[in-house]
Amino acid sequence: AEIYNTELPTEHAYLGKLERVEGVDYLEPGKIYRLPVCSHNSIVFPGEVVPMIINVATLNCNDPSDGVKFGLVFRNVNVEYIYGVTCQVFERGELNASSGSIVLKTIAQQRFRTVRHLTGRRADVLILPEITLPDPLISACSNLMMRHAVSNSAEYAKRFKSFLSRTVPWTKFVYDLYGTDEVLTKVNRYLAFLKIENVPSDPVKLSFWLARNLPIDEKERKKIYKADAVISRMMIINKSLDHMCYFICKRCSNEIGSYNDVFAMSKQGVQTSFCNPSGFVHDTLTIYKTRENSTFTTERPSTEFSWFPGYS
């Protein structure tokens, strides 16, 4: 069987020839910045590549050759606040003089919530922090014992925690409720099932990657997005992994496919954003098969603008 190159979908070659632009600076958490903003139909987590065909007037600039930073806002996340993510342009195409549109590849970087909406599609946004708390059991360890806490051996770490649990006020299972060991065990088992190896090791990036690629419903995904602490996200993800998931049609609620049939066709994971010729961004998820008679095609297959090179 031919091995499909999962690098191909991440290149978004259907957008045509693009040139690299500079600009990958991060904004300081807790501070307010004024950014051009545009709305998006679904939640985009930091680390995700978002291809776009957009009018330059939306970005409030005539030439995004210096790597423009702007915000994507998700209006349905919360009635109290409007949340969003900063996006940095890192590749661009030629400006279409007649339509005023331009092809961009952007990467989502930092979460924010809007403080004030201004005229001309601009807003003042508060950059949200990313909080990584230490392991609750290890943090109860004395300085003298701390040198024994770090080990590359999972078995040694497990034995050390078991020993340490005898010296703390609560039993070990209480500390486990606020640790990441259980969820990471479930995640590793799930990733092995999907045969996915390219997973971020950084706790913050990993929490966002999991939120985007694991079977989590929209309500829980919103909770994850609003959580500032990594452990809070991991606890929501942990609960979601205990449920059996199916895909259903949003219009008729008929079952379309099972999450057991999910596989990664892109190096970025099982879920990826792609842009169609009209500029609409779609979240796609690849599965081996659908339920019998649950879907049908309305037109002939076409290789034009294919998101997966080699397939129609």
Side-chain angles (χ1 to χ4, degrees), residues 21 23 45 47 54 64 70 80 82 85 104-105 111 116 120 127 145 147 180 184 207 244 252 270-271 281 284 291 311:
V21 293
F45 287 95
I54 194 170
F70 63 96
E80 184 180 2
I82 295 177
V85 66
L104 303 173
K105 278 170 68 175
R111 299 175 306 123
R116 186 183 304 107
I127 304 299
M145 294 289 291
R147 62 192 178 96
T180 59
L184 289 178
S207 66
M244 196 72 174
C252 68
V270 298
Q271 186 161 321
V281 178
T284 68
R291 289 282 185 258
Y311 284 82

Side-chain angles (χ1 to χ4, degrees), residues 28-71:
E28 188 174 340
K31 286 195 172 184
I32 295 175
Y33 295 86
R34 184 162 294 178
L35 295 175
V37 294
C38 53
S39 59
H40 193 62
N41 59 299
S42 62
I43 295 175
V44 174
F45 287 95
E48 188 171 348
V49 173
V50 185
M52 306 182 81
I53 300 175
I54 194 170
N55 195 294
V56 290
T58 304
L59 301 179
N60 287 283
C61 69
N62 294 322
D63 180 20
S65 58
D66 57 346
V68 171
K69 188 185 288 289
F70 63 96

